[in-house]
Amino acid sequence: MVALLCSSGRSLILDRPSCRAFAMSPHLLIARIVLVVLFLFGGASPPRGVLAVTGVSPCNRSVPAAYLGLTNVLGWGLNSFEQLGGPIGSASVISTPTPTLITRDVKITKVSIGYSHVAILDREAGVAFVSGRSKDGELGLGPSVTRRQGSFQALPYVVDEDSNEPGGLVRKVIDISAGFRHTCAVLESKSKATGQGVVFCTGSNARRQLGNAQFDRISFLVAVKHRTSTTFASASFAEVHAGADHTVAVTSVGDVWSWGSNEFGQLGDGSAASVVRSEPGRVLLPAPAIRVCCGHHFCLALVRDANSTLYGWGANDDGQLGASKPVEARSPVAVLTSVLKFSCGQSHALAIRANLQVYSWGDGSVGALGQRPRKNPLALGRWKLPTPQPIPAFLGVTVQAVAAGHKHSVVLDTCGRVYTLGSDVFGQLGLGYTLGASTAYRSAEPVVNVPLLKRGWPVVDIFAGGLTSFVTTRVP
């Protein structure tokens, strides 16, 4: 019997040139196979060149200063609507990091990923680009783009009926977020001297997630308004976050507003009714919000208090609010303290705490949490982790960013290495390997993205959402 053993001896690394074949006893071979199965978390055989987090040198560098230069954007995963912004006619699945086609110098600070469309932001230039599905007008490119946009296109001018400028008024984009089938953006107000940020939305309005009751869908950005609240009208917004069928916006002073579906309590206003609300209402947080993220039917907010507390509201059927009960929370509940950074996936979440450990909780059915069920580590059913727990593989690794997707996660350490874990059904782990839904590779053990490592471009930030992933890198 012949098996592979890597010369490093420290981790499970398959098919590397440094590995050598050697004769192995049947018992040792069986033990090795069991390790492989555990590594796969029940999936198909791993791709060539898989490198586990324990197989690389420890990374204990301090968190680098913010990078302010030009960036490249690389994406991978599902590309059925060409949402990765690559060449027109490219494959429906791109399983390795691939540069997007943006024909201008950019400093991308955010990539927001919806169901089948993507929005990216150059905050300094005040420009946003969109790509992918547009059947419901979610790209905001107008009625002429009715199905898809196969490359990143800058958002057009916003036209105001009361504008005296021919062709409308050019507004800077402050923030943008892609939801399931809608997109919302914070744009500079008409009065540039005030610096006020105003929320606009486009796309499907089936659950009134656009903050407007006048139509069921629209293909260009329209302002979110409140008929009676002067507080909302005068607020200056800094962030917007689009969920599956609801929207949350944050003002410059940390007030949080929400609108759309409240089926699972995702509006966070304490209302017991599963209503649809077209007008914004306040989320009942105990302190001003510093940052917010939203999954499909839940949201998390880090507030400005003495404990750096992370609060959550909405659906909790998978423990995404950090507790086993209740199944939903219609007002914010405390999830975790001492939080520095965090990210919302579809039904799971990640956080970096002050001790620099990475915590995960929520839906863990295919390994996105980096955790395994204690009773049955091979179980792939409806497994969930309702209590935030540190990811064992990252103990001793200094991490600077986390990003949660549909059923996968991405982590960036301070040495610039990108790790992926969870489902790879549509290549969202970026390892160059896909087989299909029934046999796809998946892992609860974080693995280094070797194709990205080989490219050698220093990674600046990571983003995950839906069935795709992105990174920004420094321009070589």
Side-chain angles (χ1 to χ4, degrees):
M1 288 184 154
V2 177
L4 286 175
L5 176 68
C6 289
S7 58
S8 68
R10 292 193 301 169
S11 65
L12 180 64
I13 309 175
L14 303 181
D15 295 333
R16 294 181 62 203
S18 60
C19 294
R20 57 187 174 86
F22 76 110
M24 179 181 292
S25 70
H27 296 293
L28 189 57
L29 178 58
I30 292 172
R32 175 74 62 174
I33 291 173
V34 170
L35 286 175
V36 172
V37 173
L38 287 171
F39 176 77
L40 292 177
F41 200 61
S45 58
R48 297 175 62 86
V50 164
L51 180 60
V53 64
T54 52
V56 296
S57 58
C59 180
N60 297 308
R61 297 179 187 173
S62 59
V63 176
Y67 174 71
L68 302 177
L70 298 176
T71 57
N72 288 320
V73 184
L74 295 88
W76 61 91
L78 183 65
N79 193 44
S80 56
F81 286 89
E82 299 175 346
Q83 59 265 45
L84 296 183
I88 295 175
S90 53
S92 60
V93 171
I94 296 178
S95 58
T96 56
T98 302
T100 59
L101 300 179
I102 301 178
T103 58
R104 58 179 288 177
D105 293 334
V106 291
K107 299 178 180 179
I108 299 304
T109 53
K110 180 179 182 179
V111 180
S112 182
I113 305 162
Y115 169 60
S116 293
H117 71 292
V118 175
I120 64 177
L121 174 67
D122 183 336
R123 178 67 179 84
E124 182 177 303
V127 178
F129 303 84
V130 290
S131 178
R133 185 186 188 276
S134 191
K135 288 184 177 180
D136 289 290
E138 55 264 66
L139 299 186
L141 297 177
S144 61
V145 183
T146 58
R147 188 168 185 268
R148 69 177 68 186
Q149 170 64 38
S151 60
F152 280 107
Q153 178 74 33
L155 278 177
Y157 298 159
V158 174
V159 179
D160 294 290
E161 294 179 356
D162 56 350
S163 172
N164 294 322
E165 299 185 25
L169 187 69
V170 181
R171 298 174 184 251
K172 283 191 173 182
V173 183
I174 297 171
D175 193 25
I176 193 166
S177 181
F180 186 68
R181 287 180 177 170
H182 75 293
T183 302
C184 292
V186 179
L187 306 180
E188 184 183 65
S189 67
K190 290 184 292 184
S191 176
K192 297 181 181 181
T194 68
Q196 182 185 16
V198 181
V199 183
F200 285 73
C201 294
T202 183
S204 172
N205 197 34
R207 305 290 286 174
R208 298 302 178 250
Q209 58 265 48
L210 305 189
N212 194 308
Q214 297 179 2
F215 38 76
D216 292 330
R217 70 178 67 180
I218 198 165
S219 58
F220 54 88
L221 291 165
V222 293
V224 177
K225 296 181 179 181
H226 198 295
R227 290 174 295 176
T228 58
S229 174
T230 57
T231 303
F232 181 84
S234 61
S236 180
F237 288 89
E239 295 180 18
V240 66
H241 303 275
D245 48 16
H246 76 290
T247 307
V248 170
V250 187
T251 72
S252 58
V253 296
D255 294 334
V256 181
W257 294 76
S258 62
W259 57 91
S261 173
N262 197 38
E263 181 178 359
F264 303 97
Q266 59 264 51
L267 298 188
D269 62 357
S271 171
S274 299
V275 299
V276 171
R277 195 177 65 209
S278 61
E279 287 191 329
R282 289 285 295 275
V283 176
L284 304 176
L285 285 166
I290 300 173
R291 286 186 298 275
V292 173
C293 71
C294 290
H296 255 45
H297 302 298
F298 78 104
C299 294
L300 300 175
L302 178 63
V303 303
R304 189 177 289 107
D305 67 5
N307 298 316
S308 297
T309 307
L310 186 68
Y311 283 84
W313 63 94
N316 192 41
D317 53 325
D318 285 310
Q320 53 265 58
L321 300 185
S324 57
K325 295 180 180 180
V327 294
E328 60 188 39
R330 295 185 170 273
S331 297
V333 296
V335 177
L336 194 63
T337 58
S338 302
V339 174
L340 298 178
K341 295 182 178 180
F342 60 100
S343 178
C344 297
Q346 174 178 291
S347 297
H348 77 285
L350 306 171
I352 303 174
R353 300 185 75 183
N355 59 8
L356 299 182
Q357 291 186 4
V358 182
Y359 283 67
S360 63
W361 64 96
D363 179 13
S365 56
V366 288
L369 302 183
Q371 319 270 0
R372 296 189 181 94
R374 292 182 180 179
K375 293 184 179 180
N376 183 4
L378 297 182
L380 286 175
R382 188 80 171 165
W383 178 69
K384 59 186 178 183
L385 182 66
T387 305
Q389 298 290 334
I391 299 179
F394 290 113
L395 295 176
V397 177
T398 305
V399 170
Q400 61 173 309
V402 292
H406 176 70
K407 289 185 180 292
H408 73 289
S409 299
V410 185
V411 176
L412 173 64
D413 70 16
T414 53
C415 296
R417 293 182 294 229
V418 174
Y419 306 85
T420 52
L421 57 155
S423 172
D424 199 31
V425 172
F426 295 101
Q428 58 265 50
L429 299 190
L431 304 175
Y433 180 84
T434 53
L435 286 178
S438 61
T439 55
Y441 172 76
R442 51 187 174 259
S443 176
E445 174 77 9
V447 292
V448 178
N449 192 297
V450 175
L452 194 58
L453 197 65
K454 289 181 177 180
R455 190 177 286 272
W457 295 356
V459 176
V460 175
D461 208 349
I462 56 175
F463 308 90
L467 298 167
T468 59
S469 307
F470 283 84
V471 298
T472 54
T473 73
R474 300 190 183 204
V475 174

